[in-house]
Amino acid sequence: MLRGMKEDGPAPEAALIKRARKAIRPTLSIRAAAKKARLSEARWRQIEAGYQTVSDGTRVPAIGLAGTLARMAQVVNVSSKQLREVGRQDAANELDQLINWRDYVRPGYGARSFRRHAEIMQKPESERTPEDHAFLAAELAVTSQRQQPAAEAASDKQTPPVQPTSRQPSGPEPRCSGGT
C-alpha cells in the first residue's frame, strides 16, 4: 500500500482537493480543472478517486506527485498550509514555489530568470526596488562568470591579426628619364 492511501478511499490530499473543487461556485468541472492544471482529465479523476484501474481490472493506488498536486491545489485554491496539514509537505513546498516564484528564481538560470529580468526591465528605473537591482546585479555576475571560459577559449583559438607589410611594386623598376 502506498503512502497516504486509505483502504476505503483516496489519500487525504486528494479528498481535500476534491472538496475544494466541489465548493467552487459556479461548479468547476473536472475537465476544466484538469485543463487549468495542465493535466489530463483521466489523471485528475484518478488522483481524486485515489486509485486507477490497470489493464486486468485491478485497482492500484493513484497518488499525485508533488508538482502535480501543487498545480491541482492552485487551481482549486487550496493553500500550502492545508497541504501541510494533510501530510504533503513536498506538495506544499511546490505550491509555495508556484505562488511565490520570484523568491525561488536563480539569477542567470532558465526561463524564470529570463521572465523576472523582463519584468524588471519593463519597470521605469524609478520604480525598481532594491531587490530588483540586486537581482540584476547577481544575474550580470552569473552570466559574466558563465561566459568567461567561452570567451577565453575563443581568444585562445584566434590567430593574431596579420600586420600589413609595405608592398613592393611588382614589375620593372621605374626609370628616371631626363638628364642632368
Side-chain angles (χ1 to χ4, degrees):
M1 183 163 319
L2 291 175
R3 170 178 63 81
M5 177 71 177
K6 299 188 308 185
E7 289 189 29
D8 59 343
E13 65 271 15
L16 172 66
I17 286 172
K18 185 175 185 175
R19 280 192 312 273
R21 182 184 58 78
K22 288 188 170 200
I24 294 173
R25 296 291 177 248
T27 305
L28 181 63
S29 71
I30 289 177
R31 177 176 289 168
K35 185 176 181 180
K36 286 183 177 187
R38 300 178 323 275
L39 290 175
S40 71
E41 183 179 346
R43 186 61 181 151
W44 185 291
R45 287 182 190 282
Q46 291 167 353
I47 293 170
E48 265 196 13
Y51 69 89
Q52 66 187 64
T53 305
V54 291
S55 59
D56 64 355
T58 306
R59 286 183 171 185
V60 295
I63 305 293
L65 298 173
T68 302
L69 284 174
R71 291 194 321 268
M72 292 172 77
Q74 187 178 29
V75 167
V76 297
N77 299 316
V78 167
S79 70
S80 56
K81 179 182 177 190
Q82 291 172 299
L83 286 172
R84 284 184 182 87
E85 288 171 354
V86 295
R88 286 304 301 263
Q89 178 71 30
D90 57 343
N93 292 342
E94 289 286 330
L95 180 59
D96 285 339
Q97 287 187 24
L98 283 174
I99 294 169
N100 304 315
W101 66 269
R102 286 174 190 83
D103 298 338
Y104 295 91
V105 174
R106 290 177 54 202
Y109 292 90
R112 285 184 173 176
S113 175
F114 183 76
R115 180 176 164 194
R116 178 79 176 115
H117 179 91
E119 281 186 355
I120 293 170
M121 297 310 287
Q122 288 177 352
K123 292 180 183 179
E125 182 73 32
S126 61
E127 292 179 15
R128 293 182 188 165
T129 65
E131 291 80 17
D132 292 341
H133 290 290
F135 179 87
L136 292 174
E139 185 179 54
L140 179 62
V142 168
T143 52
S144 297
Q145 187 178 28
R146 285 190 1 223
Q147 292 171 350
Q148 185 178 8
E152 288 172 358
S155 68
D156 289 345
K157 292 178 184 176
Q158 291 179 349
T159 58
V162 176
Q163 294 296 323
T165 57
S166 58
R167 197 171 145 205
Q168 297 297 325
S170 59
E173 289 191 23
R175 293 188 197 163
C176 291
S177 60
T180 26

